[in-house]
Amino acid sequence: MADISADYFLKLLRTKATESEEKMRDVFYRFDSDSDGALNFEEFRDFLGCVFVNKFQKYELEDDLVKEILNLLDTNQDGVIDLNEFKIVWRYWLRQILDPVCAMVVVDVQNDFISGSLALRDCPAKQNGADVVPIINSILKETKFDVVAYSYDWHPSDHCSFVNNVHLRPVHPSSTVSAEDALVYDTVVFAGPHINEQRLWPAHCIQGGWGAQLDPDLHVLPEAIKVYKGSQPDVDSYSAFWDNACRGQTTLLSELSQRRVTDVYICGLAFDVCVGFTALHAAEHGFRTVVIDDACRGVANESIDDMKQRLFKAGIVIVNASDVDEMVECRNRRPEMGLTAAINVNTAMKVTRQKLSNAIHEV
């Protein structure tokens, strides 16, 4: 057992310690209990046990999780982490955990979803969108994020999602709902310009209108990023990253990437639609992704539950607002987030090896 206590890494939080070769070697040799020049399963478990801590309390680690992280970081697949592999672990994996760059993305907290034409209180779940505003404000007051972004649903008046516009586009023969019979919440299939399955909503968040404005009580940071989605008439955009057909993207990915963001915390409206799809795309792009449950409200209880299952399967962490500050400040370092970090490192190494292989073949 290494002579490192559960609070050891607290001293290294946000100190750029992962850039120090000396500290890296010190930690490696402390955990290499049998002095054989590599961390075996038990030694690696001890290391993870000190990394994954909620304040001073270690998380219980399942063997399968330890094996999965070890396998992802074990470059030569010999079942242990040698010093050269630990250099990668230290510089690239542990950096995401001890020195993350954290962004908060506030999704669509707009007038129409709170008290306007598509107010959540009038949707099947009868949840009040206004409830998220003081919670989000409190998070922004208490927690120092490196980046904050606000997304806007930003539709033209002839948008394909508006039920009153269903007659503007031909309906595909495969659609089970005709234009004449279509009602709010129905799903139709439009024939073109691309075949498009579209759920219908009341007209909402029309560009430049009152309904598209953020709630006046929402705290908006002056330096925040603003992202506009759903601005093309023939395709909807639930995600703040991509439209629903994944043919066009917003500025959000480039904005976060330019700022070297590693962790994305997502909240807003509505959980089962725009929040959920934004989170799924964030995870697909390799961000360690967290959804703040009590800072969201949704459309329908069944689809809220379905979305939660999709988020869990995608490795997305769901927390409450009271958890956020400790996580952003790295005092609560969750194993699930560490697994995502390991997947990111493994993916980056594969890409690097492929580029190197391609370069060799081109010579």
Side-chain angles (χ1 to χ4, degrees):
M1 178 71 70
D3 60 339
I4 290 182
S5 63
D7 67 342
Y8 176 82
F9 287 103
L10 284 175
K11 306 168 189 174
L12 305 183
L13 298 181
R14 298 189 177 279
T15 63
K16 300 193 182 299
T18 54
E19 297 178 5
S20 168
E21 175 100 3
E22 180 182 356
K23 286 187 172 66
M24 180 276 297
R25 288 179 176 274
D26 176 62
V27 170
F28 179 81
Y29 289 119
R30 284 182 185 231
F31 283 98
D32 182 17
S33 302
D34 57 10
S35 302
D36 67 348
L39 304 186
N40 60 33
F41 178 84
E42 291 302 329
E43 291 166 341
F44 190 67
R45 173 196 281 280
D46 289 344
F47 169 66
L48 294 186
C50 290
V51 171
F52 299 137
V53 172
N54 185 1
K55 296 181 182 176
F56 302 107
Q57 184 67 40
K58 293 184 178 182
Y59 279 99
E60 292 291 329
L61 299 180
E62 299 288 338
D63 282 353
D64 287 347
L65 177 67
V66 177
K67 289 176 184 175
E68 187 170 4
I69 294 176
L70 190 152
N71 184 62
L72 287 164
L73 300 175
D74 178 15
T75 308
N76 61 12
Q77 294 295 289
D78 63 353
V80 297
I81 300 295
D82 61 33
L83 181 59
N84 285 329
E85 290 166 333
F86 193 75
K87 289 178 182 179
I88 296 172
V89 171
W90 183 263
R91 180 170 289 273
Y92 298 108
W93 179 76
L94 198 60
R95 177 186 294 173
Q96 297 175 68
I97 296 167
L98 301 185
D99 288 295
V101 179
C102 298
M104 180 160 167
V105 178
V106 181
V107 176
D108 298 3
V109 183
Q110 294 164 272
N111 289 329
D112 267 344
F113 297 128
I114 292 176
S115 57
S117 61
L118 192 42
L120 292 187
R121 66 192 181 198
D122 299 324
C123 293
K126 304 297 182 187
Q127 297 187 356
N128 188 354
D131 290 344
V132 306
V133 174
I135 299 172
I136 294 171
N137 288 348
S138 178
I139 294 171
L140 290 172
K141 180 180 178 181
E142 294 173 3
T143 303
K144 181 174 175 52
F145 287 92
D146 300 289
V147 180
V148 176
Y150 299 84
S151 76
Y152 293 72
D153 233 13
W154 197 250
H155 297 315
S157 59
D158 60 345
H159 196 252
C160 63
S161 72
F162 298 169
V163 67
N164 53 302
N165 287 340
V166 71
H167 65 284
L168 297 181
R169 296 165 181 83
V171 173
H172 194 267
S174 66
S175 181
T176 58
V177 177
S178 67
E180 293 75 22
D181 296 332
L183 301 172
V184 172
Y185 306 134
D186 282 344
T187 297
V188 298
V189 180
F190 290 120
H194 301 279
I195 295 176
N196 176 32
E197 186 177 277
Q198 177 64 54
R199 191 175 188 185
L200 300 175
W201 308 94
H204 62 279
C205 298
I206 295 175
Q207 296 172 5
W210 171 87
Q213 296 173 16
L214 297 179
D215 182 272
D217 293 327
L218 180 68
H219 181 47
V220 180
L221 299 180
E223 68 276 15
I225 299 164
K226 294 184 179 179
V227 177
Y228 298 90
K229 63 189 185 65
S231 58
Q232 299 301 313
D234 294 313
V235 63
D236 211 349
S237 185
Y238 293 161
S239 167
F241 287 95
W242 289 88
D243 65 39
N244 289 4
C246 287
R247 286 192 294 266
Q249 62 177 308
T250 69
T251 59
L252 182 58
L253 179 59
S254 63
E255 295 277 12
L256 299 183
S257 298
Q258 287 169 17
R259 292 163 175 79
R260 300 186 180 278
V261 168
T262 59
D263 297 4
V264 176
Y265 291 74
I266 302 171
C267 59
L269 309 173
F271 186 101
D272 41 340
V273 190
C274 297
V275 169
F277 283 98
T278 298
L280 290 169
H281 279 159
E284 286 178 16
H285 284 299
F287 296 109
R288 302 198 308 161
T289 305
V290 179
V291 171
I292 309 170
D293 193 12
D294 56 349
C296 303
R297 295 295 182 272
V299 173
N301 290 326
E302 183 177 354
S303 55
I304 291 170
D305 291 340
D306 289 344
M307 181 57 75
K308 284 186 177 181
Q309 291 305 310
R310 292 185 66 177
L311 299 180
F312 281 128
K313 289 179 181 177
I316 294 165
V317 176
I318 301 177
V319 302
N320 286 323
S322 59
D323 302 311
V324 171
D325 189 64
E326 295 288 343
M327 292 176 66
V328 171
E329 293 301 322
C330 310
R331 292 187 293 270
N332 181 0
R333 305 186 294 276
R334 297 173 64 115
E336 313 98 294
M337 304 281 279
L339 175 59
T340 301
I343 292 170
N344 290 343
V345 172
N346 182 269
T347 301
M349 288 191 295
K350 286 180 179 177
V351 170
T352 301
R353 286 195 296 268
Q354 185 61 52
K355 287 182 178 179
L356 180 59
S357 176
N358 292 343
I360 291 172
H361 287 304
E362 289 172 3
V363 172

